[in-house]
Amino acid sequence: MYTHSDLAALQAQSLKMQGWIRRQTFSPELEKTLRRFSSWEVAELVFRINQSTFRGRLAAEPGLPAGEVEEDGRQRWFSLDEINDLRRRMKVNRRSLMPPRPKGKRALRAAIANFKGGAGKSTVALHFAHAAALDGYRVLVVDFDPQATLSHSMGLTDVSEEHTVWGILARDLINETDRMNAAPRGAESGAALPQRRLPASIRDLGLAELRVNDFLKSTAWSTIDIIPSCANAAFVEFASAQYRHLNPEWSFFAAVSRYLDHLPDDAYDLIIFDCPPAIGYQSMNAVFAADVLYIPSGPGYWEYDSTTSFIGQLSEALEDLSAGFGETFPAGKVALPKAFADVKFLLTRFEPANDLHKAMLEAFRKVFGDRVSESPIEMTRAVEQSGRFLCSVYEIDYRDMTRETWRRARASFDTAYAEFKEVCVAAWDKVEARS
Ligand SMILES: Nc1ncnc2c1ncn2[C@@H]1O[C@H](COP(=O)(O)OP(=O)(O)OP(=O)(O)O)[C@@H](O)[C@H]1O
Ligand SMILES: [Mg+2]
């Protein structure tokens, strides 16, 4: 017979192993570190310029960061900060190397969502975040999934639950309840909201005292921050149901959106959400805050099936919100019905030589038209191999892998990212500037 204590004992054993793997993987301080990038990568894969042009520029302008030369090597290796410095200061054929970013607008928010488990959400979120940072964007990723795959692969392991999306939700409940309780009531306001009381068990957690920045954690990439998750945040689904009961007028689904509205417009360029494989309070918050909905799906028939039910259920859930929290609702600045600037489907783990996969891609295109991303992400051993070191394909040193496998994997993510970027830049036009 096995009870909860046996499960707890098994978990304790497993945590020891987790610690051991991390010690083998990260630097001795247990901190994830980011490698340097070779001049070949910086020129051809990051700036997309000729290698000799790049070397020529470095030689002609001694003030530019010069990178480091390894003992036995000829190539120069650049840190991310040096790459960003070069990007700001170099022009090629009078063209700036900075990525497009409309002035006076907040960061563009994209949710990577599908309730199908293993669809490739976290892999896509991780690789898009790294590709965007290498492209010169400042990125925030939000891990909405208590499995915390994304947090772990970004090197965050000791996360306390109040610093997760759960903390943001509970803090929002407190702030919103106080706001509603303080609102004018009676005949002249036209609203007769009852006073709502929150129990000490929620008030005494001190969440109302947390500042906006307390939730933002830095990562091994200086231009990527994360709002991490942790296993303990799994109770957020139960807790949120209780919170709604305590204050039925609380627009629970807008908590993260409201939180993000408090960030300065230029703090980040892109905000990427990794969603859990379920439609619940966390994924509804992600979807509601998103300008762009990106739906990864595996290339098999059953995955197509699940993706179809996912959009059906999401549509129903969003319709329910509109019906339940209609225009007359005093929810502050929450616009309903929720409208996305764009919705895209992205096939992952795609094998170009597999007839079934090709047929499924055709089927996706027939049904969803140009909502289907042009270039699927290929199935590649590079994901498995770099994942073993809790890394992305961008982070792993290409000398640690068959060069062709690495190059092909990277090209696949690069192409999918380029399309994602195009979608985001176009969607930015539809995001209203705050005055
Ligand atoms: N392009 C790819 N090539 C090879 N393996 C891949 C690829 N994309 C994802 N995988 C593997 O598939 C598995 C599931 O991927 P991932 O964790 O990204 O899915 P997910 O949708 O986030 O899952 P969950 O629903 O559990 O959060 C992982 O083991 C990952 O390494
Ligand atoms: Mg995941």
Side-chain angles (χ1 to χ4, degrees):
M1 305 289 241
Y2 293 90
T3 66
H4 57 89
S5 8
D6 300 301
L7 294 177
L10 288 173
Q11 194 226 7
Q13 245 170 308
S14 175
L15 283 177
K16 271 192 218 152
M17 178 59 141
Q18 217 178 39
W20 182 82
I21 293 174
R22 272 183 215 130
R23 276 193 298 281
Q24 304 298 307
T25 310
F26 297 157
S27 65
E29 301 78 38
L30 280 188
E31 283 235 355
K32 182 165 176 163
T33 48
L34 180 60
R35 71 178 176 99
R36 287 176 166 266
F37 298 84
S38 71
S39 46
W40 164 69
E41 283 180 285
V42 177
E44 302 210 345
L45 302 179
V46 178
F47 294 156
R48 309 256 163 212
I49 58 176
N50 197 295
Q51 238 191 115
S52 51
T53 310
F54 181 52
R55 293 213 174 108
R57 293 296 295 274
L58 291 181
E61 293 177 52
L64 292 175
E68 279 179 4
V69 184
E70 285 183 356
E71 267 174 29
D72 52 350
R74 289 186 309 117
Q75 293 229 52
R76 294 191 164 275
W77 293 77
F78 297 85
S79 69
L80 178 64
D81 288 341
E82 287 174 326
I83 295 175
N84 282 327
D85 201 11
L86 285 165
R87 186 186 342 255
R88 277 189 296 270
R89 292 163 59 186
M90 265 172 52
K91 284 206 169 51
V92 176
N93 298 331
R94 283 192 242 132
R95 181 177 65 89
S96 159
L97 296 173
M98 297 296 291
R101 195 318 180 187
K103 282 217 164 58
K105 294 218 174 170
R106 62 162 172 79
L108 202 278
R109 307 169 186 171
I112 319 286
N114 193 336
F115 68 23
K116 172 83 181 149
K121 297 179 286 294
S122 303
T123 306
V124 169
L126 179 72
H127 285 79
F128 280 3
H130 289 166
L134 277 179
D135 196 16
Y137 284 121
R138 287 154 306 161
V139 183
L140 173 65
V141 293
V142 187
D143 191 349
F144 282 83
D145 186 358
Q147 293 180 91
T149 314
L150 190 66
S151 305
H152 292 165
S153 36
M154 291 215 165
L156 277 93
T157 46
D158 292 318
V159 176
S160 63
E161 60 263 27
E162 66 263 30
H163 292 118
T164 66
V165 165
W166 168 71
I168 293 180
L169 259 70
R171 179 175 172 271
D172 186 72
L173 169 74
I174 297 168
N175 292 344
E176 282 290 284
T177 305
D178 290 348
R179 183 182 67 78
M180 290 174 187
N181 282 344
R185 50 203 64 239
E188 89 272 29
S189 72
L193 276 184
Q195 290 281 323
R196 299 291 181 191
R197 306 241 164 279
L198 299 179
S201 59
I202 293 175
R203 293 231 176 243
D204 293 353
L205 291 169
L207 292 166
E209 267 47 77
L210 286 177
R211 308 286 168 89
V212 171
N213 283 348
D214 291 336
F215 294 94
L216 308 168
K217 306 292 172 197
S218 43
T219 70
W221 293 61
S222 53
T223 47
I224 303 182
D225 287 343
I226 183 169
I227 298 177
S229 189
C230 67
N232 282 349
F235 68 83
V236 58
E237 292 299 324
F238 298 106
S240 308
Q242 184 213 353
Y243 297 167
R244 280 188 73 185
H245 186 69
L246 293 169
N247 182 353
E249 290 86 24
W250 174 48
S251 49
F252 64 92
F253 52 89
V256 172
S257 170
R258 267 190 292 267
Y259 166 82
L260 295 174
D261 284 343
H262 282 102
L263 295 173
D265 282 350
D266 66 351
Y268 299 101
D269 304 317
L270 291 176
I271 306 184
I272 299 176
F273 307 144
D274 184 26
C275 295
I279 293 188
Y281 293 97
Q282 296 165 98
S283 41
M284 284 313 281
N285 261 277
V287 162
F288 190 80
D291 304 306
V292 167
L293 182 60
Y294 238 71
I295 308 173
S297 171
Y301 174 75
W302 296 114
E303 290 159 305
Y304 169 76
D305 221 40
S306 306
T307 301
T308 307
S309 12
F310 168 68
I311 46 177
Q313 293 201 16
L314 184 60
S315 147
E316 278 174 29
L318 290 172
E319 190 184 352
D320 282 355
L321 290 187
S322 294
F325 292 79
E327 285 157 24
T328 52
F329 200 78
K333 286 178 255 155
V334 171
L336 287 167
K338 168 68 197 169
F340 301 102
D342 209 343
V343 176
K344 280 268 180 186
F345 296 86
L346 171 64
L347 255 67
T348 59
R349 281 187 277 104
F350 184 80
E351 295 168 49
N354 182 319
D355 287 336
L356 174 68
H357 292 184
K358 283 193 276 192
M360 287 315 299
L361 179 57
E362 278 321 299
F364 265 85
R365 286 200 173 125
K366 224 179 220 138
V367 178
F368 302 118
D370 60 5
R371 302 268 67 74
V372 183
S373 184
E374 282 288 319
S375 345
I377 290 178
E378 288 186 13
M379 174 80 168
T380 164
R381 277 185 50 75
V383 164
E384 199 186 310
Q385 289 181 356
S386 54
R388 244 181 48 214
F389 301 99
L390 308 181
C391 279
S392 75
V393 169
Y394 293 97
E395 290 176 305
I396 198 145
D397 190 321
Y398 54 81
R399 293 168 298 181
D400 293 340
M401 206 180 271
T402 315
R403 178 80 74 107
E404 199 37 45
T405 307
W406 182 87
R407 197 200 273 267
R408 193 175 165 135
R410 170 140 188 187
S412 179
F413 283 108
D414 278 350
T415 318
Y417 164 72
E419 211 175 334
F420 171 73
K421 174 182 175 183
E422 230 173 81
V423 166
C424 289
V425 170
W428 245 321
D429 280 342
K430 301 187 191 163
V431 173
E432 279 181 35
R434 282 189 282 191
S435 48

